[in-house]
Amino acid sequence: MTRAPARLSPLPSGRIEERFEDKNPRYTEAEALAEANRCLYCVDAPCVKACPTAIDVPTFIRKIATGQVKGAARTILTANLLGQSCGQACPVEVLCAGDCVYNAWGREPIAIGRLQRYAVESALAKGPALFRAKPPTGRSVALVGAGPASIAAAGYLALEGHRAVIYERKAIPGGLNTLGIAPYKMKGHEALRELEWVLSLGDIELRTGVSVVEQATAPGEIAARDLLAEHDAVFLGLGLGDDARLGIPGEDGEGVVGATAFIERLKADPRLGLTGVRRAAVVGGGNTALDVAHELALLGVDVAIVYRRSEAEMSGYAHELEGARIAGARLIENRVPVEVVREGGRPVALRVAPADAGARREAPQGAAQTAEELVPADLIAVAIGQSRATRVALAFEGVALDAKGRVVVDPATHRTGNPRVYSGGDCVNGGKEVVNAVAEAKIAARAMHEAIMQRGGVAAPGPAPQGS
């Protein structure tokens, strides 16, 4: 079963993300051929081992070099259904390209991400029917959340002939891909185009504006037990929750935003404006902090990144920090925010103190306060982590959380404590890359398929992509 790609509602025009240029635009055919012919096609390719979805990188690059772009795309998408977005958004510097043998020789590694994007986009533009779904099995799976993990799992399940129904509480589907990836890497409409292709792979239904709860009491809600009653299995692709707060004086009020909420508005809300924002402080040292700092700097804002530890201790990738610095952002190390300074209700500065002085602020006036300084800021973006989506997960009997609020799964199957509930993505791994979500979705989809077919007394068949 194959379908024409579904048409999702387009994002409104006038979004700030439309101002950003593409950091790594798609290769032309000539550029792709030249880059592909640099590849050594290593037999024991380290790039494959570095990819969480184990894409056969040498094979797809060889196919590009020999003019088999459709075959290259099929090689990529068989391993990773979200190969287009991963080609644009993956941190290849620390994954596949980071392990390219050229690095050891002091030479530029193969641009694997750009070649991947070229192959997938070129092939899908010519004809989206790269795979054929198996005959319907009459079984169905509910997927909670329309982010990368659920999208990938739905695609793999649909190809096996199952019906997949995705429930998303927001009006705009796509999760991180649509609403969270830096716009100089990938725009929201590109993520929706990829989602449309996945929806065409088989019997997949997307229901937006639906919240999964323990007990439904209002329109737009569905109870967890009803999902289990209506479907053979449930997949939880919940992502992460709201941005964490600083808990300091002056934080409440306009001009102080959670970083992921701000990026979402920047990508999807045409009403967001930055009038009067000349200086910004971004609090945090992870990749979200670096993304929002980079974005603001590209928009002409003077950006300071405030981090409580040293640069060497940052969890954000070194190449992302370098990109933010090139755009104009600067790093203030070993400082903690202690107050948002406001004038007339608007923030004008972030007061910071040496990191080891934070605990002494309750002490009498002294050295800790004399070491404080003001970081001028009209906007303060807080990127110090996100809450966990515990409420939805715990609505399913048998689903447990670990000490960090992550859904507990069997790593071999991604099954939770409930034998019919599986999970993957950020709600399990705590917040990694899109490619990690896809890898976990593959494991869960395979396990769900096998369990469903075994419960029905039917032997589980293998995958059925179209021939090349």
Side-chain angles (χ1 to χ4, degrees), residues 20 110-111 131 168 179-180 200 233 235 246 256 267 274 286 291 299 305 318 345 434 438 449-450 459 466:
F20 291 87
I110 301 298
F131 300 93
E168 168 58 48
L179 301 172
S200 76
F235 177 82
L246 293 169
V256 180
K267 290 179 67 67
L274 294 177
D291 274 349
L299 292 169
I305 305 168
V434 173
V438 177
H449 167 64
E450 291 175 354
Q466 290 185 0

Side-chain angles (χ1 to χ4, degrees), residues 32-344:
L33 287 172
E35 185 64 14
N37 278 296
R38 290 182 59 229
C39 183
L40 301 175
Y41 312 121
C42 305
V43 175
D44 189 22
C47 53
V48 177
K49 297 177 182 178
C51 175
T53 56
I55 293 174
D56 189 342
V57 176
T59 294
F60 96 69
I61 293 181
R62 184 184 292 274
K63 288 183 178 181
I64 292 175
T66 56
Q68 303 175 66
V69 177
K70 185 176 180 180
R74 188 178 292 111
T75 297
I76 295 164
L77 296 169
T78 297
N80 181 344
L81 279 179
L82 302 189
Q84 174 192 317
S85 56
C86 287
Q88 293 178 250
C90 255
V92 295
E93 295 87 348
V94 297
L95 294 174
C96 53
D99 272 14
C100 178
V101 296
Y102 275 134
N103 289 295
W105 303 338
R107 297 176 61 184
E108 188 71 20
I110 301 298
I112 298 172
R114 296 189 72 180
L115 287 172
Q116 181 170 314
R117 178 184 181 182
Y118 166 79
V120 176
E121 288 192 4
S122 298
L124 293 184
K126 292 179 180 178
L130 297 181
F131 300 93
R132 181 186 300 115
K134 294 175 184 176
T137 63
R139 309 303 176 85
S140 68
V141 176
L143 302 103
V144 184
S150 289
I151 293 169
Y156 286 116
L157 289 164
L159 288 173
E160 293 291 355
H162 305 302
R163 173 170 167 75
V165 184
I166 306 173
Y167 298 85
E168 168 58 48
R169 65 182 177 85
K170 294 183 179 180
I172 300 174
L176 173 68
N177 274 14
T178 307
L179 301 172
I181 291 177
Y184 51 84
K185 297 176 184 176
M186 185 170 76
K187 304 290 195 299
H189 70 270
E190 295 172 314
L192 291 179
R193 185 174 65 222
E194 180 180 53
L195 173 54
E196 289 174 346
W197 176 74
V198 173
L199 293 176
S200 76
L201 293 176
D203 189 0
I204 305 176
E205 180 183 356
L206 172 64
R207 301 180 185 176
T208 58
V210 180
S211 296
V212 177
V213 296
E214 183 174 3
Q215 184 173 358
T217 58
E221 294 181 344
I222 185 168
R225 64 176 179 273
D226 291 336
L227 286 188
L228 287 168
E230 295 175 19
H231 301 278
D232 295 278
V234 173
F235 177 82
L236 303 178
L238 305 173
L240 296 176
D242 296 333
D243 293 292
R245 292 169 53 83
L246 293 169
I248 60 175
E251 181 178 15
D252 294 330
E254 62 176 315
V256 180
V257 297
T260 62
F262 177 76
I263 293 173
E264 179 173 329
R265 291 196 63 198
L266 182 147
K267 290 179 67 67
D269 187 353
R271 297 169 298 178
L272 176 65
L274 294 177
T275 303
V277 176
R278 296 179 296 109
R279 301 164 300 186
V282 178
V283 182
N287 288 312
T288 300
L290 299 180
D291 274 349
V292 74
H294 193 163
E295 291 158 9
L296 287 167
L298 288 174
L299 292 169
V301 178
D302 179 19
V303 183
I305 305 168
V306 178
Y307 181 52
R308 63 192 173 98
R309 293 176 178 156
S310 68
E311 177 177 338
E313 297 171 282
M314 294 180 77
S315 61
Y317 298 133
H319 69 272
E320 297 288 9
L321 175 59
E322 180 63 18
R325 279 175 162 155
I326 291 172
R330 66 188 188 279
L331 175 63
I332 300 176
E333 304 174 79
N334 300 306
R335 295 291 186 274
V336 292
V338 294
E339 181 187 7
V340 175
V341 180
R342 294 179 177 272
E343 292 181 2

